[in-house]
């Protein structure tokens, strides 16, 4: 394996793992605080059990997210030194602020985990809110740095030199809002459906039904609301990409020819050599409307972009189709769930609805990984769009393939360990809850 490919794969693998841990760390504190709020208002001990169970999960993912995030920060310097040499002074501000948010999150989490019966109940709850807000802010700041790579700003590039640097303008670049919005909602969708699916499975198994039903209701509400908002943020992102990165949009849609009234392509197999898409469903003029707001608007195809600047079409297209397809399935489930809440409350106890949530458990994270594939692969061959190519930024150090194998083994081990810890946590909570129920009954 050549070093350039190994460096890209190592970064992709590391990011693919970290994004799951970070999204859970961003969202789970809000679930935890919601259950805690219901405990404070209603004094229902089940909500207290849910809160304490979820707080342990938050601690586990905080630790794993911190480790995987630290590895990523080192990889940026080790694998892409020329990129960091030039880009570091420009977009270093969001990384510095993210570090501050991380420290606030760590302190607040410590207060929350060890503050039971030591603080005023509402102050204790508020420390949990701080955990969630600071975690969400950390995610937004990191995405702002990634958005800068897609929409570089805050400097003048003159004769190969980066001059007149403005870190604030770099952080609030043209892409930061649409990417941060889409990412934050995606975190709630993916984590919400994953958590709701796990608790739905436990309900179907008849284990600690009251406990898992309370937890399921909280996670399902967050997930379904976010699933309904995601298409809106997707539309904002699509229009943003169409204006700034027409090559990425063309690869996403396998749109080879510039045209007005461009159709939206659903599915299909791109044939790059012949510049066609086989077996696709085409919706007339829909792509033009989504990209420009005009059914007859012009959408640039790959034919208007130099061949050396084309992203990998097949990977980008398949990842985009997967993301959108799973997003639509989760939106459909969300609409069914809201209909049940309003019109068919007896559906909420039905096994078929719970099974749908179980099936949806991995969908959000698969869509999340597909979305990041679109973002990163669709930007190629640029590491800084229009300024620096990825091939020019890689380290000259040999032996990167061995580093890739080592880090892959580390991340797989980390994933196994976290899975075992979470499984033990879920089963332990169940046993403790069963024991307390039996004690209360006797």
């Amino acid at each position: 394996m050549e070093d350039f490919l190994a460096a890209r794969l190592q970064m992709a693998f590391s990011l693919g793992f970290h994004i799951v841990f970070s999204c859970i760390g961003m969202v789970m504190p809000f679930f935890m605080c919601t259950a805690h709020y219901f405990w404070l208002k209603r004094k229902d001990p089940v909500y207290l059990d849910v809160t304490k169970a979820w707080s342990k999960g938050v601690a586990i993912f905080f630790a794993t997210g911190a480790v995987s995030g630290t590895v990523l920060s080192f990889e940026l310097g080790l694998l892409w030194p020329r990129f960091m040499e030039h880009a570091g002074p420009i977009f270093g501000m969001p990384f510095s602020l993210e570090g501050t948010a991380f420290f606030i999150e760590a302190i607040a989490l410590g207060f929350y985990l060890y503050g039971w019966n030591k603080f005023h109940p509402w102050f204790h709850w508020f420390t949990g809110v701080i955990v969630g807000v600071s975690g969400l802010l950390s995610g937004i700041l990191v995405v702002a740095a990634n958005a800068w790579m897609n929409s570089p700003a805050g400097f003048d590039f003159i004769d190969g030199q980066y001059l007149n640097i403005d870190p604030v303008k770099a952080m609030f670049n043209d892409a930061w809002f649409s990417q941060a919005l889409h990412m934050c909602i995606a975190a709630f969708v993916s984590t919400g459906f994953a958590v709701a699916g796990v608790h739905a499975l436990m309900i179907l198994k008849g284990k600690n039904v009251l406990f898992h039903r309370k937890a399921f209701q909280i996670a399902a509400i967050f997930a379904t609301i976010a699933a309904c908002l995601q298409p809106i943020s997707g539309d904002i992102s699509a229009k943003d990409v169409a204006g700034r990165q027409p090559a990425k949009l063309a690869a996403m849609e396998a749109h080879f020819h510039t045209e007005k009234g461009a159709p939206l392509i659903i599915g299909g197999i791109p044939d790059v050599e012949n510049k066609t898409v086989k077996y696709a469903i085409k919706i007339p003029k829909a792509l033009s409307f989504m990209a420009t707001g005009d059914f007859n608007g012009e959408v640039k195809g790959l034919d208007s972009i130099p061949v050396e600047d084309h992203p990998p079409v097949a990977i980008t297209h398949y990842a985009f189709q997967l993301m959108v397809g799973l997003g639509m399935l989760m939106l459909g489930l969300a609409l069914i769930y809201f209909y049940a809440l309003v019109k068919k409350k007896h559906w909420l106890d039905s096994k078929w609805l719970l099974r749908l949530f179980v099936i949806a458990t991995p969908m959000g994270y698969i869509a999340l990984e597909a979305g990041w594939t679109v973002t990163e692969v669709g930007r190629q061959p640029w590491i800084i769009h229009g300024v620096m190519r990825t091939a020019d930024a890689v380290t000259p150090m040999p032996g990167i393939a061995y580093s890739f194998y080592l880090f892959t083994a580390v991340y797989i081990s980390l994933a196994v360990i976290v899975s075992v810890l979470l499984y033990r946590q879920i089963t332990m909570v169940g046993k403790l809850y069963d024991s307390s129920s039996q004690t209360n009954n006797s």
Side-chain angles (χ1 to χ4, degrees):
M1 181 186 298
E2 64 178 15
D3 289 335
F4 178 53
L5 178 59
R8 292 187 64 190
L9 287 176
Q10 181 173 327
M11 201 71 194
F13 205 71
S14 301
L15 181 61
F17 270 88
H18 177 68
I19 195 172
V20 174
F21 298 144
S22 60
C23 283
I24 296 173
M26 289 165 59
V27 171
M28 279 300 296
F30 291 102
F31 295 2
M32 174 186 75
C33 289
T34 302
H36 194 171
Y37 175 83
F38 286 143
W39 151 245
L40 292 174
K41 295 295 289 186
R42 302 177 185 179
K43 299 301 180 184
D44 185 339
V46 181
Y47 284 115
L48 179 60
D49 293 333
V50 172
T51 302
K52 290 188 174 182
W54 278 347
S55 68
K56 294 176 181 177
V58 169
I60 292 171
F61 281 104
F62 176 82
T64 53
V67 172
S68 59
T70 302
V71 171
L72 271 172
S73 63
F74 279 113
E75 286 179 345
L76 279 172
L78 293 173
L79 299 178
W80 314 101
R82 188 159 179 265
F83 166 71
M84 291 303 295
E85 175 189 356
H86 297 288
I90 303 172
F91 79 153
M93 178 177 285
F95 276 129
S96 300
L97 294 175
E98 191 275 336
T100 303
F102 172 80
F103 285 124
I104 294 172
E105 183 182 5
I107 293 169
L109 182 59
F111 282 166
Y112 190 84
L113 293 176
Y114 297 103
W116 290 99
N117 302 318
K118 295 181 177 66
F119 297 132
H120 185 281
W122 284 106
F123 177 78
H124 182 223
W125 171 80
F126 182 70
T127 62
V129 175
I130 295 298
V131 174
V133 172
S134 55
L136 194 64
L137 184 59
S138 292
I140 291 173
L141 289 167
V142 170
V143 171
N146 179 269
W148 179 85
M149 297 164 69
N150 288 305
S151 179
F155 66 96
D156 293 324
F157 188 64
I158 302 173
D159 296 330
Q161 299 293 317
Y162 297 80
L163 306 174
N164 303 321
I165 294 173
D166 184 347
V168 174
K169 188 176 180 180
M171 184 168 67
F172 295 107
N173 56 79
D174 291 340
W176 84 269
F177 176 76
S178 60
Q179 279 197 213
L181 178 66
H182 199 59
M183 180 65 213
C184 289
I185 296 175
F188 278 94
V189 172
S190 56
T191 303
F193 275 106
V195 174
V198 169
H199 290 291
L201 179 62
M202 301 306 288
I203 295 169
L204 288 171
K205 290 184 175 181
K207 296 181 178 180
N208 323 309
V209 172
L210 183 59
F211 171 89
H212 289 292
R213 190 168 291 282
K214 299 285 190 185
F216 168 80
Q217 290 170 348
I218 293 172
I221 287 294
F222 273 101
T224 50
I225 291 175
C228 292
L229 295 175
Q230 191 69 308
I232 299 174
S233 71
D235 181 67
I236 295 172
S237 295
K239 286 181 169 57
D240 178 64
V241 169
R244 291 184 302 96
Q245 294 177 292
K248 178 184 285 188
L249 180 69
M252 288 160 56
E253 285 292 332
H255 184 61
F256 292 101
H257 305 287
T258 301
E259 62 180 309
K260 295 181 178 180
L264 178 69
I265 294 176
I266 300 176
I269 301 174
D271 183 346
V272 178
E273 189 173 329
N274 295 311
K275 296 180 172 50
T276 60
V277 184
K278 300 176 181 178
Y279 316 115
I281 299 172
K282 295 184 179 181
I283 302 177
K285 301 188 177 184
L287 180 59
S288 286
F289 179 76
M290 292 177 64
T292 67
D294 180 0
F295 284 107
N296 293 312
E298 183 177 271
V299 179
K300 290 184 178 180
L302 289 169
D303 59 354
S304 65
I305 298 161
V307 175
E308 63 270 19
D309 294 340
H310 286 190
V313 176
I315 296 174
T316 308
H317 177 70
Y318 293 141
F320 179 69
Q321 296 293 315
L322 181 61
M323 178 188 69
V324 173
L326 291 174
M328 290 297 101
L329 289 175
M330 289 183 285
L331 174 61
L333 179 53
L335 295 176
I336 292 172
Y337 185 71
F338 284 129
Y339 184 73
L341 284 174
V342 176
K343 294 288 187 179
K344 301 284 186 179
K345 292 189 181 298
H346 63 279
W347 285 7
L348 299 175
D349 297 319
S350 61
K351 290 185 177 181
W352 65 265
L353 183 59
L354 292 172
R355 289 193 183 103
L356 287 179
F357 273 94
V358 172
I359 294 171
T361 300
M363 286 185 182
Y365 288 120
I366 296 172
L368 188 73
E369 298 287 2
W372 271 103
T373 300
V374 172
T375 299
E376 299 302 298
V377 176
R379 187 179 61 245
Q380 300 307 312
W382 305 100
I383 192 169
I384 306 175
H385 184 253
V387 177
M388 179 184 289
R389 292 181 182 271
T390 308
D392 297 331
V394 71
T395 178
M397 181 179 67
I400 299 300
Y402 299 106
S403 174
F404 167 66
Y405 299 140
L406 175 61
F407 276 89
T408 300
V410 169
Y411 273 107
I412 291 175
S413 300
L414 186 61
V416 171
I417 292 169
V418 170
S419 299
V420 171
L421 287 174
L422 289 176
Y423 177 77
R424 290 184 62 184
Q425 177 63 26
I426 292 171
T427 56
M428 188 181 300
V429 167
K431 291 177 182 178
L432 290 174
Y433 193 74
D434 276 341
S435 300
S436 63
S437 299
Q438 292 172 7
T439 300
N440 292 335
N441 291 336
S442 60

